[in-house]
Amino acid sequence: MKLLVVCLGNICRSPMAEGILRKIITEQNLNIEVDSAGTSDYHVGEHPDNRAIATAKKFGIDISSLRGRQFTTGDFDRFDRIYAMDRENYKNIISLARNTEDREKVFYFYNVNNEGFDVPDPWFGGHEGFTPVFKLLENLSEQVIQDLK
Ligand code: 4NP
């Protein structure tokens, strides 16, 4: 099973989610691969935002070596499930889908009873905004993995 988590910049939410998911997968010895991407090309090749790196580190997860990349249509072929962090990301991913099979791979990362919600974008706020988002991503990651089992 191959998962892709997608946000706008691929430097805050999706790299934190990638780090959390990797940790859960390792701890539970699961056969799941994870990657992340951004719908934009704003931060291609960059490491995650320093606030995201510091927050993940605080909770024992090292995401400092990850690099931003942009989502491409080829990702529909490489991944089984593609998770959007918010409605805008969801729309942008769906707009690149080539067919029904592609569209059926797209989910909300924050999904409750088949309803999608936005994971708040911490980028525009201060450092203190990152911990609540990290905590939310932890809960949602547990849920995502549980749903796959
Ligand atoms: P992310 O946060 O989508 O969670 O990585 C953002 C990062 C960069 C920008 C917006 C959101 N930006 O506009 O550059």
Side-chain angles (χ1 to χ4, degrees):
M1 175 65 73
K2 294 186 180 178
L3 313 181
L4 182 67
V5 283
V6 182
C7 60
L8 175 61
N10 193 209
I11 54 167
C12 298
R13 291 166 293 177
S14 61
M16 290 197 291
E18 180 179 346
I20 294 163
L21 288 165
R22 284 182 191 278
K23 182 178 179 218
I24 297 170
I25 289 161
T26 302
E27 282 171 356
Q28 302 187 12
N29 204 16
L30 302 171
N31 187 20
I32 300 175
E33 289 178 31
V34 189
D35 192 16
S36 65
T39 56
S40 77
D41 64 0
Y42 305 155
H43 299 280
V44 170
E46 293 178 23
H47 292 296
D49 186 286
N50 282 332
R51 298 164 295 177
I53 293 175
T55 304
K57 191 176 173 195
K58 191 166 80 172
F59 293 99
I61 295 175
D62 181 9
I63 59 167
S64 63
S65 62
L66 298 179
R67 297 275 188 157
R69 75 164 179 92
Q70 188 172 22
F71 179 84
T72 71
T73 46
D75 288 318
F76 287 114
D77 301 322
R78 285 190 285 273
F79 294 92
D80 301 299
R81 284 179 166 241
I82 296 162
Y83 291 95
M85 285 293 162
D86 64 29
R87 258 165 289 198
E88 200 61 31
N89 309 148
Y90 187 92
K91 260 190 291 179
N92 286 326
I93 298 164
I94 288 287
S95 74
L96 293 171
R98 298 155 299 184
N99 49 45
T100 307
E101 195 187 339
D102 286 355
R103 274 186 290 277
E104 285 177 353
K105 292 185 172 183
V106 188
F107 300 84
Y108 279 90
F109 198 69
Y110 192 168
N111 183 315
V112 180
N113 297 328
N114 287 322
E115 195 186 340
F117 295 88
D118 292 345
V119 174
D121 186 345
W123 193 68
F124 299 97
H127 199 291
E128 68 287 352
F130 278 69
T131 296
V133 171
F134 186 91
K135 287 296 197 187
L136 174 62
L137 289 170
E138 271 188 331
N139 287 330
L140 299 176
S141 297
E142 292 283 356
Q143 195 59 57
V144 162
I145 296 294
Q146 205 56 45
D147 290 347
L148 290 174
K149 288 206 266 188

